[in-house]
Amino acid sequence: MENSENIDETVQSLQAEIGDALLAVALGDVRSLEFEPTYVREDAGKTWDSVEEFFSDNTQKEVFENIAAEAYFETGEGSARSPLGRLRFTVRHYNEAVIVIGWRNSSTVLVTLRPDPEHIPSTIRVLESTLEVEETE
């Protein structure tokens, strides 16, 4: 999977930058729907009863498939470029978590954070520098 060689560095950089706000990191491929959790904080989900199930492998895969299908097909990223350029990042801010998604062609990296938007810019900076998600060709 694209970017997998740098994922350990990415996780370490995210831990250093945002600390306990980091809950999980995963790599995915939109075309094949392959999904690989690469880091899940040991107590992720145990803080809130309502999201404990979110960190199960099956639920994570289901969430990824929904995100991948929506972004890849509905935004047209699979077939054409937007006049604004390629999609680089999307952010989903829920009551119990924030998910930052970095897009690089059909490969994605999903970072799950505590629901505090102050960590979004730092997360994007780390992803740009460690995984080069801004390069789409």
Side-chain angles (χ1 to χ4, degrees), residues 31-52:
R31 290 185 183 122
S32 67
L33 291 180
E34 289 179 31
F35 176 78
E36 178 185 341
T38 58
Y39 168 81
V40 178
R41 203 171 90 191
E42 191 172 309
D43 65 344
K46 292 185 177 150
T47 307
W48 314 282
D49 292 338
S50 61
V51 294
E52 186 167 359

Side-chain angles (χ1 to χ4, degrees), residues 29-104:
D29 184 272
V30 173
R31 290 185 183 122
S32 67
L33 291 180
E34 289 179 31
F35 176 78
E36 178 185 341
T38 58
Y39 168 81
V40 178
R41 203 171 90 191
E42 191 172 309
D43 65 344
K46 292 185 177 150
T47 307
W48 314 282
D49 292 338
S50 61
V51 294
E52 186 167 359
E53 184 183 328
F54 175 76
F55 293 97
S56 75
D57 289 346
N58 286 340
T59 303
Q60 287 273 307
K61 183 168 177 50
E62 182 180 320
V63 168
F64 169 69
E65 288 174 357
N66 289 336
I67 288 170
E70 175 186 329
Y72 196 68
F73 296 109
E74 290 183 19
T75 65
E77 291 300 316
S79 60
R81 288 180 179 235
S82 161
L84 299 175
R86 288 280 192 177
L87 178 65
R88 294 177 54 212
F89 295 96
T90 54
V91 176
R92 293 175 175 234
H93 189 183
Y94 299 97
N95 290 338
E96 302 292 348
V98 170
I99 301 176
V100 177
I101 306 159
W103 297 93
R104 184 175 182 195

